[in-house]
Structures are given as structure tokens and as C-alpha cells.
Amino acid sequence: MNLTDLSTVRDIMERFGISTKKKYGQNFLINQSVPERIAREGTGIQNCGVLEIGPGIGTLTACLCKNAKKVVAVEIDDSLIPVLDYTLAEFDNVTVLHADILKTPLQPLMDNYFSDCDCVYVCANLPYYITSDILMYLIESGIPFKALTVMVQKEFADRIVAPAGSADYGAVTAAVQYFGKPQKLFKVAPGNFLPAPKVDSAVLRIDLYEEKPVKPQNEALFRRIIRLAFEQRRKTLVNALAGKVPISKEALSDILVSLSLPADVRGEKLSVEQFAMISDRIHSTEQAAL
Ligand code: SAM
């Protein structure tokens, strides 16, 4: 079954009485080369498992089934479950779970389905209305996914790969770059989807670090500093953190100067490494004052 052929897609939708739902961010792929490329570039190691978020009618899922030992696809829309039973009938290495990924405990899912796989990838054409939530949920879970390869809005992909100091760099950039190494694989134009979204898309691959290169002493503080720094990104870091971290403005300025940074530096100029150094100094100052 060619799930990117428009008349096949329309037949399936008619047969199951479904239409694409905006509230679930449903834009189905209709160009076969795109899911094939995601499956190819998003996996690689033999004997691997793949977790897919939002299989839709199974277009990318079918390609993943050919590339992986096992695929688990989590879909929120109950009307798509019988469709997936039908479109994926030829594959015996797929499990479709009817669930909201953001409410799915990931460790039990890994234990139940992937214990016999050498590694697990995430591949998905993500619903754009919750891209960032899903990505952070997966990354922050602590599950050692080999890589996450996801279709997102092009602007979002640009933000994730942005270097410190650029206009696109923000809290989500620093958070993702703390956990892994992101790269933009390729752009995808609106005409590759049904319905066509109003924005360009891009496929992003994030290779999670087995050993994080940056290790803040107090990860919660480090994450909070990044969030605060970008909540009011036009403010200097000292002003953005003032009253919200347990040391004075003067002590904060001293820390920046001791790290050879301008006292009026803004968070948007700071790399993940520099955020970690600042966080460590604040943490030590706080500990010393106890
Ligand atoms: N993978 C299909 C494709 O590429 O043609 C569909 C991708 S579509 C952009 C996003 C999919 O995610 C939809 O099937 C939607 O129902 C599903 N979805 C949306 N929110 C979800 C959630 N919280 N948990 C699981 N699936 C979700």
C-alpha cells in the first residue's frame, strides 16, 4: 500500500470516515521520499528499536518497520487506531499504543517493548502545536535514546541549532544543546503534506550525549538560570537573575567578571558551557554562605 499516494490516502479516509484534525496538528506526509529519508537517516544501528510519536495513518511507521527490529508508535487520536491496524497489517514488528505521549511514562514503555533491542531511536513527524513540549519530555526523561529525528517547523529547527549570540538562540536551544548535539538534516516544503501547513518544515536530528560534556554541579539551578535569562532576553543577565537567585547583584557581577565576561552580558550571548560555569559559581557562593 502506498500511503503517500493521494488517492490511496483519500480512499482510506473515506473508508474509515476520518478527516485530518487541526487540534492534533495532523499534517500527513504525501511524498514517499520524505518518510523514507527520515527512516534512513534517523536510524542506523541494526537490532534497534524505534519509538514513533504520532503515526497518523502509518506513513512514516511503515518505513520505520522496514529499517528497525521493532517499532512502537504512540497515537493520541482514537479514530486512527483502526486505520493503523489496516495500513500496518503486513508488519509484525509494530505495536500501536493509543495514548497521549505527554502522559505516557517512558521507562515502563522502554522496559515492556524494547528490552531486547540494542538501542532505541525516536523518529516522528511531530504535531507542531506541542513540538517543544514533546521534545523536552523525551529528552528530559533521562532515557538514553540513541538519537531523535523529528520533523518540526523550520523556524523551530533554526532555533535549536542556533549558536550562542545569534538572534535565534534561546532557552530551548540551550536546553537541547545541553542534552545533545542537534543538526538540521533537510528542509521540507508545505506541498509535501496533506493538508499543506502554512509554514516550512525541517527535519532535525539530535544525537543525545552518552556522557554530557557540560556537567553543572546543581542541574536544577543551571536550568533555572537559563530559563530566567531568556524570560526577559533584553535584560542583562544580572538584572534577569536579580532577586531570583540566592546571591546579590554585586556578587553576580563579580562572578561574571571573574569569568572574563562583561558585567552587563545578556543571556543570549552565553553558551551552555558558560551558563554552567556561572551556575557553578552561584552554587558555590550559596554553599559557602550556609
Ligand atoms: N506520522 C504521520 C505522517 O507523517 O504523516 C502524521 C504526523 S502528524 C504531523 C502528527 C501526529 O501526531 C498526528 O497523527 C496526531 O494525531 C499525533 N499527535 C498529536 N498530539 C499527540 C500526542 N500528544 N501524543 C501522541 N500523538 C499525538
Side-chain angles (χ1 to χ4, degrees), residues 44-111:
I45 294 176
Q46 265 196 349
N47 218 29
C48 68
V50 180
L51 172 62
E52 186 193 6
I53 321 301
I57 61 167
T59 315
L60 171 60
T61 327
C63 298
L64 295 171
C65 287
K66 292 177 191 153
N67 279 43
K69 175 182 163 94
K70 201 177 265 185
V71 177
V72 173
V74 179
E75 175 56 60
I76 196 170
D77 183 355
D78 57 350
S79 71
L80 293 173
I81 306 302
V83 180
L84 290 160
D85 273 348
Y86 170 71
T87 57
L88 300 174
E90 68 182 278
F91 300 104
D92 58 9
N93 59 341
V94 62
T95 304
V96 174
L97 301 177
H98 175 217
D100 176 344
I101 188 64
L102 295 176
K103 295 186 181 143
T104 304
L106 294 177
Q107 191 59 57
L109 186 151
M110 299 292 290
D111 297 343

Side-chain angles (χ1 to χ4, degrees), residues 212-225:
K212 290 195 202 79
V214 174
K215 296 189 185 79
Q217 290 164 19
N218 179 338
E219 188 175 303
L221 175 67
F222 163 77
R223 302 287 307 280
R224 193 151 60 87
I225 290 171

